[in-house]
């Protein structure tokens, strides 16, 4: 009896960049290019092949992977990109669902209002 072929599972992840993209803080096309250059497949960068597909659709980036691919790795690369562009101080990466990340602003103004009330 021949061995059964493993079914290649396809995972789809989404990074929602709508808030910073609308404010023109983040360039989605540039971020997509960064991911294509930095994602490692089989230990090599820039080796996407047929296993990983990264596309930008409007303000979202979709990553479809056919091999074991970690959602956490996408968060790591996103944080690395934010640090490279020096916007890590204003944005953070939040998981909104099991297969979606969203870039959100820190709520700085609430902290300033609380500090002003404490001083009085």
């Amino acid at each position: 009896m021949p061995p059964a072929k493993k079914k290649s599972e396809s995972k789809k992840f989404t990074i929602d960049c709508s808030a910073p993209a609308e404010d023109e803080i983040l360039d989605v096309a540039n971020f997509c290019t960064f991911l294509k250059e930095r994602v490692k497949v089989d230990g090599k960068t820039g080796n996407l092949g047929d296993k990983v597909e990264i596309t930008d659709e409007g303000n979202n980036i979709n990553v479809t992977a056919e091999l074991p691919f970690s959602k956490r790795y996408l968060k790591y690369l996103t944080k690395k990109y934010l640090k490279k562009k020096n916007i890590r101080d204003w944005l953070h990466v939040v998981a909104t669902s099991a297969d979606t990340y969203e870039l959100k602003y820190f709520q700085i103004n609430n902290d300033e209002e609380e500090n002003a009330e404490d001083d009085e």
Side-chain angles (χ1 to χ4, degrees), residues 2 5 9 16 18 22 25 28 30 40 47 51 54 56 59 64 67 69-70 72 85 87 89 93 101 103 107 116:
K5 289 185 179 180
E9 282 190 39
D16 182 13
S18 56
E22 289 173 358
I25 292 176
V28 178
N30 190 12
K40 284 188 178 182
N47 183 25
K51 297 179 178 181
I54 301 173
D56 59 329
N59 291 335
T64 307
L67 66 149
F69 194 83
S70 173
R72 180 86 179 127
K85 295 295 180 182
I87 51 178
D89 295 336
V93 187
Y101 278 124
L103 296 178
Q107 294 293 329

Side-chain angles (χ1 to χ4, degrees), residues 11-25:
K11 293 184 179 181
K12 184 173 182 180
F13 301 106
T14 304
I15 302 174
D16 182 13
C17 309
S18 56
E22 289 173 358
D23 295 338
E24 297 179 6
I25 292 176

Side-chain angles (χ1 to χ4, degrees), residues 39-57:
V39 169
K40 284 188 178 182
V41 177
D42 297 330
K44 297 178 183 174
T45 57
N47 183 25
L48 298 181
D50 297 334
K51 297 179 178 181
V52 179
E53 181 181 334
I54 301 173
T55 58
D56 59 329
E57 297 175 7

Side-chain angles (χ1 to χ4, degrees), residues 1 8 11 34 38 74 102 113 115 119:
M1 183 176 231
S8 63
K11 293 184 179 181
F34 175 85
R38 298 294 175 105
L74 281 179
E102 185 175 349
E113 290 173 7
N115 289 340
D119 293 339

